[in-house]
Amino acid sequence: QVQLVESGGGSVQAGGSLRLSCAVTGNGNPVNCMGWFRQAPGKKREGVASISTGGGRPYYGDAVKGRFSISRDNAKNTIDLQMNNLKPEDTAMYYCAATPPAFTGICSLDPSYDIWGQGTQVTVSS
């Protein structure tokens, strides 16, 4: 019964920043891993960042290392993605995702994420 509700997408000029938020709703949060993925027109889906709900290290896609940061906000029950120094190549639909409640492995970008949000558009202009 976990649901993911995304917000924070928009349009920004190159070099700017955006902060995406994924609200985890339902009867508690039984999942182990949360992640952000993106897909641009004509491109394959790309892993952006992932984090565990149990204190494990975050993982980042090579294209965003040093610029993006994923974090948990336990008070608000959200998974946030701070995006700095945005580039036109970051333009994509961004999706929040979660692993099945039974998954207890390492929360990298490799596990099968089967709970997905609706996506939020990020557009970066030159």
Side-chain angles (χ1 to χ4, degrees), residues 29-87:
N29 182 14
V31 303
N32 185 41
C33 311
M34 301 290 299
W36 284 95
F37 298 80
R38 68 186 184 185
Q39 187 167 22
K43 305 294 183 180
K44 294 184 176 180
R45 189 180 67 188
E46 178 185 15
V48 177
S50 62
I51 195 170
S52 76
T53 60
R57 58 157 283 186
Y59 292 81
Y60 296 96
D62 290 340
V64 306
K65 287 182 178 178
R67 299 188 297 119
F68 291 10
S69 180
I70 190 171
S71 62
R72 302 183 303 269
D73 189 327
N74 293 330
K76 298 191 296 184
N77 200 25
T78 62
I79 305 296
D80 300 323
L81 183 70
Q82 179 66 43
M83 305 185 295
N84 297 324
N85 192 24
L86 283 161
K87 304 175 180 180

